[in-house]
Amino acid sequence: MNRQSRFIMSMLVFGYSFLFVPLILVVVYSFNDSSIATIWGGFSTRWYGELFRNEQILSAAYLSLRIAITSATAATVLGTMAGLVLARFGRFKGRTLFSGMITAPMVMPEVITGLSLLLLFVTLQQLTGWPGQRGFSTIAIAHTTFSMAYVAIIVQSRLIAMDESLEEAAMDLGGKPLQVVFDITLPLIAPAMIAGWLLSFTLSLDDLVIASFVSGPGSSTLPMYIFSKVKLGVSPDINALATLIIVVVSLGVAIAWIVARKSTKA
Amino acid sequence: MTNLASRHKDEIWRRVAIVTPYLWLLVFFLAPFAIILKISLADPVIAQPPFTPTFDKQGGLSVSVDNFRFLLTDKLYAITYLRSVLMAGATTVFCLSLGFAMAYGIARSKPSTRNLLLLLIVLPFWISFLLRVYAWMGLMNTYGVINNVLMWLGAIDKPVRLMYTDFAVFVGMVYSYLPFMILPLYASLERMDMNLIEAAQDLGASRARAFWDITWPLARPGVIAGCLLVFIPAMGEYVIPYLLGGPESLLIGRVLFDEFLVNRDWPLASAVAIVLLLLLVVPIALLQRYRVRDQETAA
Amino acid sequence: MKNFIHLKGVGKNFGDFVAVDDVDLTVAQGELFCILGGSGCGKTTLLRMLAGFEIPTTGTIEIDGVDITQQPPYDRPVNMMFQSFALFPHMSVARNIAYGLRKEGVTKPEISKRVDAMLELVQLADFGKRKPEQLSGGQRQRVALARALIKRPKVLLLDEPLAALDKKLRERTQFELINIQYELGITFIVVTHDQEEAMTLATRIAVMDKGRFQQVGTPKEVYEFPSNKFVANFIGTINTFDGIVTKVLDDQIEVYSDEAGTSLRALGKQLVEVSQKIEIAVRPEKIFISKEKPKDSDDVCIQGTVDDLGYLGNRSLYRIRLESGKIVQVSSQNRRRSITRFLEWEDNVWISWRASSAVILLD
């Protein structure tokens, strides 16, 4: 090994340990019996038990899941439309503004997005009486707005990579444009739509800042609950929760990876 | 006639596909910015909502630039903006140095290990951001893992203060945004033909020369995208300074959040947001342009 | 000849760019018509206008007496075989072929009967259940053909039908295409950049450049009597000599060429005048090469030296340098089997051709 590759190798080792040691430690400490989170008091799974008895966590998690599923689905529908429009509709009036608005939410700092949406909801309420109460629907709308950008980009790149003559062939054989979308385009971009849905789902579950702005009193998402807890310091039941999330995500990603590898080999 | 009729029906679906997302974005993305601008020109009052209307009861225009004047004259805000730029800049530079070496290493590794290494970079994206920041709290506590290890090694004899410092914020930022840097860097390095470097060396370039003449220019789109993807969110970051930083580590995202939700000074918070947006207009426009170009080369 | 396809003044602009410029064309029923041209010549745009993917900026397109200029692709009695074949990857071969009939609302038993017959025709009877990705390039090409033919279109459009196949397969497939076309009697319009492909397939060829038809004719006409420089150079190789007309006779003209160092003759029907500048062109295979001066004095004879030579198996190529420095390409059949070369570098030789082999080229 020469000097250059030794340097690269050590950077890789350092970088990956930097990324993963903190997560591993959270997993380890979640089995710590001591209620002072940083001192090792023997192996125990009691925090997992407490986690599932904690009503607040459970209801926050339930709200988060409902919001994530709703907003991911809405974002997939809207984002797929937007991706189709960007990749296949050519020029139309207002296209520049459209493509700008699609990508801008992805790069907007969360505090600004959150603030602006809250002000919108407040204004709308003054003008129309809706939304009477901020919570599920306002958070779902906010999440849909920034997630649809990601779906649109994923769908758009898939469409750009896809041979446009497939859709032309279908039209040539008698398929009307809308039929072609359902016969050819949607089945072929389904993997991109699924990826987009999963990403939207994760983004929604992950979001703290925007939800904090647009939620009302009494509706707390899981990240909001966690945040209110960890503000006060390290907490053992949050370790247990983090461990569960890390394990579920890692398993999911690992399975997806193995499936993808098998399908490319076959 | 059937032709005309069917064409007309297609036209409707086409319209629906354009108008639905378009309207959504106009209402939930563009309109809110107009409202921020409007409120930033109002005065705070103790009321619901807590700001003065743009038009008074007589229908006259009632706007004031007091909030912006305050932001410009108040030293604290100037310092906060500056600190945010410095923190985001430092994060970007460090992420670039570490991220470049890692992306280079990943791009050069065997295809089988490469996929696994990439997967590990993407994995944190799917794990809660908040919990990843939280993980550092346990590490950097006064009696946390880092201090314990250092004391056990004998490097220090009493715990050093890590948590609630700018250093902790910096570490948290690098940790959170490193994957954003690595992925675009990897994408442009992977596209690069490694024979180019061999060709340059064959033509007499030293390793360092080959790097500066070949690798760096070809990686530049990835470098620009990566830096922007780190810098922009780092500028507005709220969670990391709140959890890892001390009360004195003022960053603009946190100030905006507190001004709005704690002090309930909505007009001032709106003005803070507008100034932040102005600071970010150039980086955001650059990133957008890069994205468009990337889409074009992909096509 | 009945005007089955009729293009009247068809043009297409993309912004400032003129892709197709005022094209007129008539094609008879049952023809296998080739549009030949380089990339960017407008041939694909023309084909796409026939298919309905582009609407002409000017002019009209009629098929079988019906104006289809404004008809969308799904209403036209025209089907297309795409260059990439565009087989739907998520459907089996049989479903791919059935797609057009399903959209037409044909009954299920009828569909399966016709799909089976079509699979039989393209010799893929056992492949109906496979996915396109499990087929070889040649098989995919046949599926694409079957899918485009199943609706029995009045016109079949083929965009570079053989470009995706390797050389050996291409030659075989050419004849299969001709057989199928003959069997079904459907009018084929083929777009290609490959002149050999056009020559073998077509009943007539249109050579296209800069959005216009440069010449329309049978393969023989286009090759032997190119109407201008572009056509002459585009199809095959050709030697050209600049010259000035010195004599205009009944059926031929005499031209003095500095490059040739002598007077050349060519059969000419075109209207030329004495002292007009023109070009005389001769195909390499029309030129004879010999070490001694040929006796037949009626032929054009020029002396030169061998500049370069190449052995291609069935024939040899020579580059002969004339006194003026002009290089002339000569191609000759290797009729005899021999290990030694007939000519060597720098040999002095005579090249000659019959007056009737030469062509007059105008711009």
Side-chain angles (χ1 to χ4, degrees), chain C residues 16-36:
Chain C
D16 290 339
F17 177 70
V18 182
V20 174
D21 189 3
D22 194 27
V23 164
D24 289 301
L25 175 70
T26 55
V27 178
Q29 186 161 22
E31 263 199 274
L32 207 167
F33 190 86
C34 267
I35 301 170
L36 175 64

Side-chain angles (χ1 to χ4, degrees), chain B residues 186-198:
Chain B
Y186 168 80
S188 56
L189 285 174
E190 189 243 14
R191 246 179 275 169
M192 192 174 87
D193 182 1
M194 289 301 173
N195 287 335
L196 292 178
I197 296 178
E198 281 162 21

Side-chain angles (χ1 to χ4, degrees), chain B residues 2-3 6-7 10, chain C residues 55 71-72 74-75:
Chain B
T2 52
N3 272 331
S6 61
R7 280 237 151 158
D10 304 336
Chain C
I55 305 284
Q71 269 186 15
Y74 43 85
D75 286 334

Side-chain angles (χ1 to χ4, degrees), chain C residues 184-285:
Chain C
L184 301 176
I186 292 174
T187 311
F188 276 31
I189 296 208
V190 178
V191 151
T192 180
H193 69 278
D194 183 334
Q195 37 131 339
E196 255 179 66
E197 196 174 305
M199 302 288 267
T200 2
L201 285 176
T203 51
R204 281 195 304 150
I205 295 176
V207 182
M208 206 171 171
D209 185 44
K210 295 184 186 126
R212 289 170 169 276
F213 284 166
Q214 302 295 327
Q215 186 174 6
V216 181
T218 64
K220 255 218 165 87
E221 281 168 353
V222 179
Y223 187 80
E224 302 288 356
F225 303 99
S227 60
N228 63 27
K229 281 184 205 169
F230 176 81
V231 177
N233 283 307
F234 189 78
I235 300 193
T237 345
I238 202 155
N239 298 297
T240 55
F241 299 92
D242 290 327
I244 292 170
V245 179
T246 51
K247 253 187 232 166
V248 180
L249 304 169
D250 287 347
D251 61 336
Q252 54 178 287
I253 57 166
E254 219 173 86
V255 172
Y256 180 78
S257 166
D258 268 336
E259 282 180 327
T262 175
S263 275
L264 307 173
R265 265 167 297 133
L267 296 182
K269 289 179 230 149
Q270 287 108 321
L271 292 169
V272 292
E273 297 163 358
V274 173
S275 81
Q276 186 181 345
K277 279 175 116 178
I278 60 165
E279 272 181 43
I280 296 287
V282 195
R283 298 268 181 208
E285 73 277 6

Side-chain angles (χ1 to χ4, degrees), chain B residues 108-141:
Chain B
R108 283 297 187 84
S109 58
K110 279 180 296 189
S112 52
T113 37
R114 193 188 303 164
N115 283 332
L116 183 67
L117 289 175
L118 265 183
L119 189 75
L120 289 175
I121 297 295
V122 182
L123 186 64
F125 274 123
W126 301 88
I127 297 169
S128 163
F129 173 76
L130 179 59
L131 289 174
R132 282 188 292 135
V133 176
Y134 164 75
W136 280 94
M137 295 177 72
L139 274 167
M140 295 201 284
N141 247 335

